[in-house]
Amino acid sequence: MGRPPCCDKVGVKKGPWTPEEDLILVSYIQEHGPGNWRAVPTNTGLMRCNKSCRLRWTNYLRPGIKRGNFTEEEEKLIIHLQALLGNRWAAIASYLPERTDNDIKNYWNTHMKKKIKKLQAGDGSSMSGGLPSDQSVSKGRWERRLQTDIHMAKQALREALSLDKPNCQTELKSFTKPCQPATSSSTTKYASSTENISRWLQGWMKNPPKPGAAPSNSEYEQHSINNMVGTDSSSSEASASAANNDGSASPIVFESLLNVDSSTPEMSETSLFQGESKPISEAQVQLSLLETWLMDYLVQ
DNA sequence: AAATGCTCCAACCGCTCAGTG
DNA sequence: TCACTGAGCGGTTGGAGCATT
């Protein structure tokens, strides 16, 4: 007995959206802002379910979305992030504000998988644990959110410190693009996100989550460790297998795909992550190292 | 030119989580 | 505490368009 469909099958249109429908949806959102999706079909007269409206907006109509033609930089970043986060496309997408999770997911499934397979064929020694997409789904949702939140906080911090290089600024600016819907409510949703994050970060720093409140168990720690190790080209076989236990792709493959300089920060940190589960404080340190590495990658 | 196979991506489905009363 | 609902996420699918035979 599953949950009933989000919307009645009868009278609900499916399939590709017409330009007219797009226009109606965009006009409505310009006026009322995104959100309260349940009200959208009713108020617009669109014969679509609210979910469909939301998806259409977030994946296609939302301002600031870049479509197609992934740059080499984006590709590299996706590969890095996929190795770190697994198939958490929403989290990955949060690092590429101009791309949607759906877009990244599609790109990964069509282009990247192929590339990796090719590489596998060329170098049979690697990828003992299968493709990254085979990753276990055991990682909790809280972990995904944590990753995303950390990234958002980092973005806010970066903005505050003006650390970004030009192309990263472009990405951030997509949140505040002038082409956003003009209404205050809709722009607020996107344009003020960095402000909100800044505030959130400030609050977080004042009142850091208690260890007990967050999922501070060793599962997360171990995943962090595995993921970190999974990006380490110089790691031992044991390390690689640790990553692959999680279903992550062999670091060797990503290394060769990316041609990453072996002097990347995490290389020197790897030794920190060898061993059994650690207390939460150390897990936090690991996380910050992970983020440091990512930050360095982005700022490079 | 027609048939067939393949690729790619927009959209859907089902699940989980968070918020609310 | 529990049930309900809305929102978000990741996996999967359908079909349009392109390539090949």
Side-chain angles (χ1 to χ4, degrees):
Chain A
M1 268 300 236
R3 189 181 163 167
C6 70
C7 41
D8 293 330
K9 301 275 179 190
V10 186
V12 174
K13 195 179 165 192
K14 283 187 181 182
W17 281 64
T18 64
E20 289 78 17
E21 288 176 313
D22 283 345
L23 197 66
I24 292 168
L25 183 59
V26 169
S27 307
Y28 178 83
I29 291 170
Q30 276 184 338
E31 203 176 327
H32 300 91
N36 194 12
W37 294 107
R38 192 175 165 76
V40 173
T42 324
N43 295 344
T44 58
L46 284 168
M47 306 301 280
R48 299 276 183 174
C49 79
N50 50 23
K51 211 170 176 178
S52 185
C53 293
R54 181 176 58 79
L55 239 65
R56 183 64 180 171
W57 171 256
T58 53
N59 287 339
Y60 201 87
L61 301 172
R62 182 164 58 96
I65 289 179
K66 206 161 89 184
R67 311 199 62 75
N69 297 327
F70 278 73
T71 65
E72 204 174 322
E73 278 301 304
E74 287 175 317
E75 202 172 282
K76 284 180 181 179
L77 186 55
I78 290 167
I79 292 166
H80 262 290
L81 291 167
Q82 211 281 344
L84 285 167
L85 305 175
N87 293 359
R88 274 162 253 161
W89 305 116
I92 292 171
S94 71
Y95 288 80
L96 294 119
E98 292 179 315
R99 303 289 186 181
T100 68
D101 55 347
N102 207 34
D103 220 11
I104 293 168
K105 182 170 61 182
N106 282 333
Y107 188 73
W108 178 266
N109 287 333
T110 55
H111 297 90
M112 303 313 298
K113 265 189 179 177
K114 222 182 282 176
K115 271 193 182 179
I116 290 168
K117 259 187 189 167
K118 238 187 206 175
L119 223 88
Q120 251 186 295
D123 175 20
S125 62
S126 54
M127 201 68 103
S128 56
L131 288 169
S133 57
D134 297 333
Q135 283 190 2
S136 139
V137 291
S138 64
K139 294 182 187 180
R141 212 175 176 80
W142 58 266
E143 186 187 343
R144 297 176 209 164
R145 284 173 192 279
L146 184 62
Q147 295 275 10
T148 310
D149 289 347
I150 287 164
H151 165 62
M152 285 174 150
K154 192 178 74 184
Q155 268 196 338
L157 187 63
R158 273 165 37 184
E159 191 163 81
L161 298 173
S162 304
L163 279 176
D164 292 289
K165 60 178 181 178
N167 62 343
C168 288
Q169 279 177 335
T170 314
E171 287 179 0
L172 285 173
K173 275 178 189 163
S174 70
F175 278 118
T176 56
K177 270 189 177 169
C179 64
Q180 299 272 350
T183 60
S184 59
S185 55
S186 59
T187 39
T188 302
K189 175 83 176 179
Y190 291 95
S192 67
S193 56
T194 48
E195 294 171 29
N196 293 338
I197 292 158
S198 294
R199 261 182 263 128
W200 175 85
L201 186 63
Q202 282 171 7
W204 186 85
M205 286 167 83
K206 278 180 196 163
N207 303 301
K210 296 185 189 89
S216 60
N217 53 40
S218 58
E219 188 198 350
Y220 179 71
E221 294 157 23
Q222 194 55 50
H223 281 310
S224 301
I225 294 161
N226 288 352
N227 281 335
M228 281 296 280
V229 171
T231 61
D232 182 0
S233 66
S234 63
S235 62
S236 64
E237 258 185 56
S239 301
S241 69
N244 285 332
N245 283 345
D246 189 29
S248 304
S250 159
I252 300 157
V253 171
F254 290 115
E255 249 348 90
S256 47
L257 259 178
L258 295 166
N259 192 23
V260 169
D261 184 353
S262 61
S263 66
T264 44
E266 86 275 21
M267 305 311 166
S268 54
E269 314 284 1
T270 306
S271 59
L272 288 172
F273 307 124
Q274 322 239 335
E276 288 109 34
S277 62
K278 301 172 173 61
I280 183 64
S281 55
E282 272 189 73
Q284 285 166 343
V285 170
Q286 288 160 13
L287 207 57
S288 72
L289 286 168
L290 173 75
E291 292 301 313
T292 305
W293 169 78
L294 256 176
M295 171 86 100
D296 287 345
Y297 175 81
L298 286 170
V299 175
Q300 264 170 26

